[in-house]
Amino acid sequence: MIRAMIRLLLFSIVLASAVGMAWWWHDYSQRSIRLWTVDQGELLTGVTVSGTVRNKQKTTVASEIVAAVARMCVREGQQVQKGQVLVELDDSVLAAECAKSQARIEVARQTLAELKAGTRKEELERARQAVVQAQSELDHTQKNFARLEDLRKRGAATASELSLEETKLKVAQSTLKSAQADLDLLEAGARPEQIARAEAEVRQAQAELQRCQALRAKCVLHAPHRGIVTARYVDVGEVVSPGQLLMHLNNLDDTEIRAAVQETQLTGIRLGHKARVLADAYPDKPLEAIVEKILPRVDPESGAVTVLLRLHEAPAVALMDGMAVDIALVREQRDRVIRVPAEAVRGSGESAEVWVRSGPSFEKRFVELGATDGHWVEIRKGLDVGEVVRVN
């Protein structure tokens, strides 16, 4: 009896585990599959060919100054935006030179301001007092000299004493002349040529600062356009020189699609016709393009003609140089076509089938296919708008 109860208990545990696993697998599979609701939309019919991506602009990023690499801001293969910082060079020396030039400007401006403002009243008053004092000293010396000269005539003074007083008289006359000249200069103010020279010194200091700032700006290199870094040639700490290559940057906004089209497939393809581009790397992101040029040359080995396509707008995905793509060249555009993604269809011809949601599961249903552009497939019979199909 006890053994029977144990066996029953073990059976119940195993059964519960199996049911739980089954429910988990059903729930996981429902969440992991991709679904599509059948709709009506545009379908481009034509011919599907292979092609490649070509980034027409391959930019070389190089240094313009001698400096050490302070920071590499991007890595190889990284997509960057226009204006994004790529490399930072050490600018400490240039920063010091800019500060020195700024100080020179301040000194030159101060000198110019003083010249234009003219002499202060205090300076003029001191100069006038110096003239008065020099004149008083001269008057006093002249009186002493006249007195000694009279005494010398009467024999009461020596020639040496008279000579010494004469020397004092000449010094007093020279002092008065110098003081008067200083006063005249202060009263006249700065000469035009002095002001012109001071103005030139200000301009020279400003030009030196602008030169330093321009060189310092070259220490930060920005992306000239949106692109992808295809190669990097330096590392942090290396000293670079003018013209030295730092990295390569391919322009993602100047992209050309080159399609290889057989001669027999060119029928009906004209300049300006629409095309749909599907990159192998982004199978769920088709891009719209137009035929821009058909090169007038047939490859003798493959018998293919090169058709150049231009994208309608800059792609949201990174189309790298040399990337493989599938191209649907349009001969006809059809609207309001019942369609499903090409991945939803299994088989072809009369055996073409899709899996359609029926309650909690899916049922297989045979359908009649129409045209396809590589991304969409037309469903002529077997599906209605609003039904849900399994894509993967």
Side-chain angles (χ1 to χ4, degrees):
M1 182 67 178
I2 294 176
R3 290 183 178 179
M5 291 179 65
I6 293 174
R7 285 197 297 268
L8 180 60
L9 179 60
L10 291 175
F11 176 76
S12 299
I13 292 173
V14 171
L15 180 61
S17 299
V19 170
M21 287 294 294
W23 174 256
W24 175 86
W25 174 253
H26 176 268
D27 180 66
Y28 172 78
S29 62
Q30 290 295 312
R31 286 186 286 109
S32 63
I33 63 176
R34 190 160 61 95
L35 306 178
W36 177 262
T37 301
V38 180
D39 66 353
Q40 287 183 314
E42 176 188 86
L43 186 70
L44 308 176
T45 62
V47 59
T48 300
V49 297
S50 61
T52 55
V53 175
R54 177 172 174 260
N55 298 135
K56 294 194 292 183
Q57 183 181 7
K58 299 176 176 64
T59 302
T60 297
V61 179
S63 173
E64 297 183 60
I65 62 173
V66 176
V69 177
R71 190 162 73 99
M72 296 297 296
C73 305
V74 295
R75 60 186 182 278
E76 286 186 352
Q78 181 176 338
Q79 185 175 342
V80 299
Q81 301 301 317
K82 181 177 180 180
Q84 183 173 337
V85 177
L86 303 176
V87 184
E88 291 182 0
L89 304 178
D90 183 12
D91 67 345
S92 56
V93 175
L94 290 172
E97 291 186 10
C98 287
K100 183 178 178 180
S101 297
Q102 185 65 56
R104 285 186 57 197
I105 290 176
E106 296 302 323
V107 172
R109 283 175 175 170
Q110 183 63 34
T111 301
L112 177 61
E114 291 176 355
L115 289 173
K116 287 185 174 181
T119 308
R120 295 194 299 269
K121 292 181 180 180
E122 296 82 357
E123 293 178 328
L124 282 172
E125 186 60 30
R126 284 196 297 269
R128 292 190 181 105
Q129 290 296 327
V131 171
V132 170
Q133 185 177 354
Q135 182 65 56
S136 176
E137 184 66 26
L138 177 61
D139 292 344
H140 177 71
T141 305
Q142 285 175 334
K143 289 178 181 179
N144 286 340
F145 179 77
R147 182 176 59 80
L148 281 175
E149 194 174 32
D150 183 59
L151 291 174
R152 176 73 179 89
K153 289 178 181 179
R154 291 183 290 163
T158 64
S160 177
E161 289 175 328
L162 183 61
S163 176
L164 179 60
E165 196 63 30
E166 184 180 11
T167 300
K168 290 181 179 180
L169 177 61
K170 289 180 180 179
V171 170
Q173 290 172 338
S174 177
T175 300
L176 176 59
K177 185 178 179 180
S178 177
Q180 187 61 54
D182 289 342
L183 177 59
D184 293 342
L185 184 61
L186 290 175
E187 289 179 336
R191 296 192 302 275
E193 54 269 26
Q194 288 178 302
I195 294 178
R197 183 167 59 251
E199 290 174 338
E201 289 176 355
V202 171
R203 290 194 297 270
Q204 182 179 6
Q206 289 174 333
E208 179 63 22
L209 177 61
Q210 290 174 353
R211 185 190 72 84
C212 288
Q213 290 174 335
L215 288 176
R216 193 178 180 188
K218 297 180 186 298
C219 288
V220 181
L221 287 79
H222 299 84
H225 50 71
R226 192 173 75 95
I228 189 165
V229 180
T230 57
R232 206 183 81 172
Y233 302 104
V234 295
D235 290 312
V236 173
E238 293 186 40
V239 177
V240 297
S241 55
Q244 183 172 342
L245 181 61
L246 306 183
M247 64 180 62
H248 274 123
L249 182 69
N250 285 7
N251 190 346
L252 295 178
D253 294 328
D254 190 11
T255 300
E256 179 181 77
I257 309 297
R258 302 175 72 90
V261 184
Q262 296 296 318
E263 291 181 83
T264 55
Q265 297 176 315
L266 279 175
T267 304
I269 304 300
R270 299 289 184 269
L271 298 181
H273 274 199
K274 293 183 178 181
R276 180 165 287 156
V277 179
L278 197 64
D280 292 353
Y282 312 107
D284 58 342
K285 298 185 186 310
L287 304 171
E288 302 300 324
I290 62 171
V291 177
E292 187 173 50
K293 187 179 296 184
I294 301 175
L295 300 184
R297 179 181 178 276
V298 179
D299 187 288
E301 295 183 2
S302 63
V305 175
T306 299
V307 175
L308 304 182
L309 307 175
R310 175 172 53 83
L311 296 174
H312 274 301
E313 57 187 22
V317 296
L319 294 181
M320 293 174 282
D321 196 59
M323 183 177 284
V325 293
D326 291 325
I327 304 164
L329 295 172
V330 179
R331 292 194 180 104
E332 178 187 5
Q333 176 177 332
R334 300 173 59 189
D335 298 319
R336 299 189 62 77
V337 172
I338 296 178
R339 62 183 189 174
V340 296
E343 300 97 316
V345 179
R346 274 74 171 173
S348 60
E350 294 183 356
S351 61
E353 62 185 39
V354 295
W355 288 84
V356 185
R357 170 172 277 178
S358 177
S361 60
F362 293 86
E363 63 177 15
K364 182 171 64 174
R365 187 183 301 177
F366 290 102
V367 292
E368 181 181 335
L369 305 181
T372 180
D373 61 3
H375 182 67
W376 301 106
V377 177
E378 178 187 7
I379 304 297
R380 291 179 177 172
K381 291 182 180 179
L383 281 178
D384 293 322
V385 174
E387 291 190 284
V388 178
V389 298
R390 189 171 66 187
V391 176
N392 56 347

